[in-house]
Amino acid sequence: MTGARSGGPSLTDTERGMLDGREGPGVAMAMRVVVAVARVRGAAGLVEISGAHIDSCLYHGRAGLDFARRLLDLGARVRVPTTLNVGSLDLVHPGMVRRRTEHEQEVAEEGRALMDAYVALGARTTWTCAPYQLDARPARGEHVAWAESNAIVFANSVLGARTDRYGDFLDICAAVTGRAPHAGLHLTGNRRGGLVVDCRALGDKALALDLTYPLLGYLVGLRCGAGTNPVLLGLPAGTDEDRLKAFGAAAASSGGVALFHVVGLTPEAPTLEAALQGGSVPTLTVTSVDLRAARAELSTARGTRLDAVSLGTPHASLAEIAALADGLRAGAPLDPRVAFYLSTGRSVLERARAAGHVEELERAGVRIVVDTCTYVTSILDPDDRVVLTTSGKWAHYAPGNLGVDVVIASLQECLASARAGEVVLDDGLLG
C-alpha cells in the first residue's frame, strides 16, 4: 500500500496506477472522484467491489448526460458487473411517457441519450430499481456499490451484502474503477443496530397484512433517520422478501435508512445480541394505533374521489404480479374511469408473460410500465389528481414530484376502489 496525495486514503500500486492515468484518462477521472470521496469520508483505503448498480441513468438535467459522455469520450468502461436503475423512458412501450411540453420533450430526448450512454459504458440493460430480482444477487459479506435507496437497504439488510449509500456520479465511478471508499456500511462497526423496534404488540392480524410493512417502514424511517440502523423484533419468521422490500423502501424514503436487521430473519441478526454487536440501545414499541396514524399521515387525499391506481414502487416482483392477477380474476371488471398502472422490471415482465399473468392484466385494463416508474417521469394524465397506491415510497414522493394527492391502501382496497370508481377503505383493517 502507498499513501495518496494530501493525506488521503492509502492506495495499492494498482489503484495508484489508475489515479495516475496508466489505465487511461477515463479510469483516472473516475478514480479521482472515488479518492476524493474517500478522503471526505475519512476512509483509510478503498475496498474492491464485485458489482455496481447505477442510479445516475435517470435524467435530472444536462449535467448528468455531460458527465456520462465525458467518461465515454475518455475511454472509460465498467470493470465489474453493472446493472442499471430505471431511466426516464419506457423503451418497451414508447408511447407510455408523455411528450407534450417542452420539458417532456427534453426528458424524452436527453433521457434516451443518457440511457444509451450508460449502455455504451458497458452496463446491462436492466432498467430496474429492484436489481435483487435479477439473476445476479450479491452474497452475504460481498462488497458492492449500489445506488437507489431501496436497492441499498435491500442489499444490506435482506441479502447481507455490504454497500454504502451511493448516488449519482459516484456509482458509475465505482463501477469503472472497481473500487469504493472503505467507509460507512462497508465497515462492521457501522452495521451495529441503534434502535430496537418492538413489533410484538401489533399482533398476528396486523403482521399478516401487506399494508403493515410500508406503514411500519415509514414510521421507523421517521424515528431513525439516516444515522441509526433499526432492529426489528417480533416479525413473523415467514416474512417474505416483498414485505421486507416494502418496509425498507419506505424507511429509506422517510428517513434515509440504509440498513435494518430483523431478529431471527436477516443475515446479521440471528439474535438480538448479534444485531446490536453486544451493545445496549433504546427500544421503540409500535402498536396498531401508530400504523393507523401513519396511514393518515401518508394519505394526503380527502373524500372518495379516485382517478388512478399505481402499484409497483419498487418494481413489482413475479409474486406480486401473480397476486394482482388473482385479484383481478376473482371480481368484477375495473371501472374504466380509473387508470390502473403497474410498474415492473423488463426481466420480471417476461417471466410474468410466460406465466400467463400479463395477458390477464392487460385484458383487465392494467397499463404495464417497464424501464421507468410512474412517479419519476410524465406518465399519469395531468387530470389525475387522486391516486391510490400500496407503496409507502410512492405515497411519500408523488405529492411533491407530481402534485397529486395520494391514499395508501392494501391491494384488496386498491382493487375494490378501482372497481367502484371511488376510494373504498376498510377502516377496521389495521385493528
Side-chain angles (χ1 to χ4, degrees):
M1 304 279 283
T2 58
R5 300 181 183 94
S6 304
S10 292
L11 303 180
T12 65
D13 289 342
T14 299
E15 292 160 353
R16 169 64 64 187
M18 292 187 209
L19 188 63
D20 289 343
R22 274 178 264 165
E23 297 193 27
V27 174
M29 173 181 161
M31 187 54 106
R32 286 197 296 275
V33 172
V34 172
V35 170
V37 174
R39 184 180 296 117
V40 170
R41 298 297 310 275
L46 307 182
V47 62
E48 289 193 45
I49 58 170
S50 61
H53 181 68
I54 308 298
D55 188 46
S56 46
C57 49
L58 177 64
Y59 185 77
H60 294 294
R62 184 73 196 185
L65 179 57
D66 289 346
F67 189 86
R69 282 181 168 168
R70 181 64 175 161
L71 283 172
L72 262 179
D73 291 344
L74 294 176
R77 295 273 299 177
V78 300
R79 69 176 60 208
V80 295
T82 301
T83 50
L84 291 171
N85 204 52
V86 296
S88 298
L89 298 175
D90 181 335
L91 301 178
V92 176
H93 313 104
M96 187 68 73
V97 176
R98 298 176 185 277
R99 306 183 185 201
R100 298 161 309 154
T101 67
E102 187 175 331
H103 174 69
E104 288 172 349
Q105 291 170 12
E106 176 192 345
V107 170
E109 294 169 9
E110 303 287 64
R112 178 58 193 262
L114 183 63
M115 294 169 81
D116 290 343
Y118 277 95
V119 174
L121 284 164
R124 292 175 60 189
T125 55
T126 51
W127 313 125
T128 180
C129 61
Y132 41 84
Q133 294 173 353
L134 299 170
D135 50 3
R137 309 202 316 177
R140 178 179 179 179
E142 204 169 315
H143 291 273
V144 295
W146 276 21
E148 158 54 37
S149 62
N150 100 83
I152 292 167
V153 70
F154 194 97
N156 279 317
S157 312
V158 183
L159 303 182
R162 295 191 174 201
T163 179
D164 208 24
R165 300 172 184 82
Y166 294 104
D168 286 9
F169 304 160
L170 181 56
D171 50 9
I172 184 60
C173 290
V176 167
T177 60
R179 302 292 191 278
H182 199 197
L185 293 173
H186 290 288
L187 302 174
T188 298
N190 293 335
R191 301 175 69 85
R192 173 177 174 267
L195 174 71
V196 173
V197 180
D198 191 341
C199 303
R200 290 174 291 188
L202 290 173
D204 294 341
K205 179 186 173 187
L207 290 171
L209 298 172
D210 287 343
L211 178 60
T212 292
Y213 295 85
L215 297 178
L216 185 60
Y218 173 73
L219 278 172
V220 171
L222 289 179
R223 180 60 184 265
C224 286
T228 302
N229 305 320
V231 181
L232 278 70
L233 189 62
L235 293 194
T239 304
D240 63 28
E241 288 195 357
D242 287 327
R243 290 178 171 182
L244 297 177
K245 174 184 75 169
F247 171 85
S253 301
S254 65
V257 170
L259 166 67
F260 65 84
H261 301 292
V262 180
V263 174
L265 186 59
T266 60
E268 291 167 72
T271 64
L272 179 60
E273 292 72 22
L276 299 180
Q277 296 183 17
S280 177
V281 302
T283 295
L284 170 69
T285 298
V286 180
T287 69
S288 292
V289 173
D290 299 314
L291 294 184
R292 290 197 295 273
R295 170 141 126 161
E297 191 169 316
L298 267 173
S299 299
T300 62
R302 300 293 179 263
T304 60
R305 173 175 173 171
L306 177 63
D307 299 310
V309 174
S310 181
L311 310 181
T313 305
H315 275 168
S317 68
L318 183 61
E320 290 172 318
I321 294 174
L324 175 58
D326 286 345
L328 289 167
R329 196 183 308 119
L334 302 180
D335 188 322
R337 296 172 298 173
V338 177
F340 202 115
Y341 296 94
L342 173 75
S343 299
T344 188
R346 55 172 61 192
S347 68
V348 172
L349 177 67
E350 289 311 307
R351 283 184 275 155
R353 191 184 304 281
H357 302 320
V358 171
E359 184 179 344
E360 286 189 86
L361 267 54
E362 291 178 337
R363 188 167 53 239
V366 175
R367 305 177 195 182
I368 299 176
V369 179
V370 298
D371 299 338
T372 188
C373 184
T374 51
Y375 85 97
V376 299
T377 197
S378 184
I379 292 176
L380 269 60
D381 190 287
D383 292 331
D384 289 343
R385 310 312 306 158
V386 178
V387 185
L388 209 57
T389 183
T390 56
S391 166
K393 180 172 184 171
W394 207 96
H396 183 72
Y397 285 124
N401 284 8
L402 305 176
V404 299
D405 283 313
V406 301
V407 179
I408 185 165
S410 68
L411 175 60
Q412 290 70 29
E413 289 171 325
C414 288
L415 287 169
S417 299
R419 287 174 170 128
E422 62 179 22
V423 175
V424 179
L425 300 182
D426 180 354
D427 292 335
L429 191 62
L430 295 169

